[in-house]
Amino acid sequence: QVQLVESGGGLVQPGGSLRLSCAASGSIFSIYDMGWYRQAPGKQRELVAAISSGGSTNYADSVKGRFTISRDNAKNTVYLQMNRLNSEDTAVYYCNARRYNLGSRIDSWGQGTQVTVSS
């Protein structure tokens, strides 16, 4: 089972930038598909961005062109660069690691990091 620790959240003004990091340990990082999800108060958790073990990426429409997901397998870390932030990006951001075993999906989650966009 992989353990995930997020960092990099905080308070930022509209139009600003943040970079989230998610450090993984306890398993072979490179085999996992990684993702960033977020959950705002009163809303369901939603996928923000994902990167496969092979490096393919996909993004929620709301963040395309503003956010970039990347991974460094040598450092067992996945990143989320967030630019041109707005108030609707305010949420708790969670790191996710996903793999499949015998057809079953196995998800691991970090504890979350708060991102607040406010002036």
Side-chain angles (χ1 to χ4, degrees), residues 54-73:
S56 300
T57 59
N58 65 284
Y59 297 91
D61 287 343
S62 60
V63 307
K64 282 181 181 176
R66 300 189 298 124
F67 290 12
T68 302
I69 189 171
S70 61
R71 65 190 297 162
D72 186 337
N73 289 341

Side-chain angles (χ1 to χ4, degrees), residues 10-18 84-91 114-119:
L11 174 65
V12 62
Q13 292 187 341
S17 299
L18 280 176
R84 303 201 312 273
L85 286 159
N86 59 60
S87 59
E88 295 187 350
D89 297 316
T90 295
Q114 177 71 47
V115 172
T116 302
V117 184
S118 175
S119 55

Side-chain angles (χ1 to χ4, degrees), residues 44-56:
Q44 290 188 334
R45 190 173 296 190
E46 62 175 359
L47 174 68
V48 176
I51 184 167
S52 71
S53 58
S56 300

Side-chain angles (χ1 to χ4, degrees), residues 22-35:
C22 173
S25 62
S27 190
I28 303 172
F29 177 74
S30 60
I31 68 173
Y32 287 86
D33 296 333
M34 301 298 297

Side-chain angles (χ1 to χ4, degrees), residues 1-5 23-29 31-32 34 76 95-101 104-110:
Q1 187 83 352
V2 64
Q3 290 80 48
L4 304 171
V5 178
S25 62
S27 190
I28 303 172
F29 177 74
I31 68 173
Y32 287 86
M34 301 298 297
N76 290 353
C95 180
N96 168 264
R98 178 169 296 167
R99 68 180 180 92
Y100 295 85
N101 184 30
S104 296
R105 190 177 83 186
I106 302 171
D107 282 312
S108 300
W109 295 92

